[in-house]
Amino acid sequence: QSALTQPPSASGSPGQSVTISCTGASSDVGDYKYVSWYQQHPGKAPKLMIYEVTKRPSGVPDRFSGSKSGNTASLTVSGLQAEDEADYYCSSYTGSNNFYVFGTGTKVTV
Amino acid sequence: EVQLVESGGGLVQPGGSLRLSCAASGFTLTYHWMHWVRQAPGQGLVWVAYIDNDGGRTTYADFVKGRFTISRDNAKNTVYLQMKSLSGDDTAVYYCVRDAQLSFDIWGHGTVVTVSS
């Protein structure tokens, strides 16, 4: 199972929006609603930001939103803040023996 | 507080073995599938293994099949990852992760495994 494809980097000024894409295949992103997004600051464990494509866990600001079209999922961060600078990873359930697959990761610079 | 605390990492020689432990607290472990995810230095996240609520079903990434074994003891609120035949490619931070709605909602702080002679 190959990793999902994300752009290596994305950037925006404070207050602007940035959108990160996550491209998979019909066997993972395209076939399931179980796409999630994670934020990871340097030296820290990842944090769940979005699950089931569009849902936000309690405590995650509504500036973070997710969507999906076909084999590509997206994470949008609106109203960028300095603390949003981090690495972001998508993940998808695959339904196969290789249960889950992560994206290649995107470094967001504010 | 809901948390996962990993232990058991360290320096091991190529070909060696190591057992990681993950102690859960603040929630009922029995209710959740559990996973191990790893991250090599400077690299991305990679899913390693999964175990269902009672340990009856496990699944592994192809690159660890036959070498790693995930298990759990719900009475001790602990999940394990037994690793053998280790190589430099297994050098990574290993995270214990709780599953919720087929996403990873709670992560431990990670334990570092270094395979080197």
Side-chain angles (χ1 to χ4, degrees), chain B residues 80-102:
Chain B
Y80 304 97
L81 186 67
Q82 177 69 51
M83 307 184 294
K84 66 179 183 179
S85 303
L86 289 164
S87 73
D89 290 342
D90 297 314
T91 294
V93 176
Y94 284 75
Y95 293 102
C96 175
V97 190
R98 189 179 82 171
D99 188 302
Q101 289 88 38
L102 291 177

Side-chain angles (χ1 to χ4, degrees), chain B residues 4 10 12 17 25 32 34 36 42-43 46 55 61 67 69-70 72 75 77 93 96 101-102 114:
Chain B
L4 298 167
V12 60
S17 300
S25 60
H32 294 271
M34 296 295 294
W36 287 93
Q43 303 300 309
V46 178
R67 299 190 302 123
T69 302
I70 187 172
R72 64 194 293 161
N77 291 320
V93 176
C96 175
Q101 289 88 38
L102 291 177
T114 303

Side-chain angles (χ1 to χ4, degrees), chain A residues 21-82:
Chain A
S21 62
C22 169
T23 301
S26 57
S27 57
D28 40 62
V29 174
D31 205 22
Y32 297 98
K33 68 176 183 178
Y34 301 110
V35 176
S36 47
W37 289 89
Y38 304 87
Q39 177 192 65
Q40 186 179 34
H41 288 110
K44 301 294 186 181
K47 174 186 175 183
L48 177 65
M49 305 301 285
I50 296 287
Y51 67 100
E52 289 184 14
V53 179
T54 61
K55 298 178 180 179
R56 277 179 291 106
S58 174
V60 173
D62 60 6
R63 303 184 292 104
F64 291 85
S65 62
S67 63
K68 190 183 84 164
S69 177
N71 297 340
T72 298
S74 298
L75 174 72
T76 297
V77 186
S78 305
L80 275 170
Q81 299 182 5

Side-chain angles (χ1 to χ4, degrees), chain A residues 3-17:
Chain A
L4 306 176
T5 302
Q6 298 180 232
S9 62
S11 64
S13 300
Q16 290 187 332
S17 295

Side-chain angles (χ1 to χ4, degrees), chain B residues 7-85:
Chain B
S7 60
L11 175 64
V12 60
Q13 292 190 337
S17 300
L18 212 55
R19 188 177 86 155
L20 308 182
S21 298
C22 168
S25 60
F27 68 98
T28 304
L29 186 64
T30 307
Y31 293 164
H32 294 271
W33 295 355
M34 296 295 294
H35 304 264
W36 287 93
V37 173
R38 75 183 189 185
Q39 186 171 33
Q43 303 300 309
L45 302 170
V46 178
W47 173 80
V48 173
Y50 139 87
I51 188 166
D52 70 357
N53 305 58
D54 61 7
R57 182 188 177 197
T58 59
T59 304
Y60 300 90
D62 285 343
F63 56 84
V64 303
K65 278 181 184 175
R67 299 190 302 123
F68 290 12
T69 302
I70 187 172
S71 61
R72 64 194 293 161
D73 185 335
N74 288 336
K76 294 183 177 180
N77 291 320
T78 303
V79 179
Y80 304 97
L81 186 67
Q82 177 69 51
M83 307 184 294
K84 66 179 183 179
S85 303

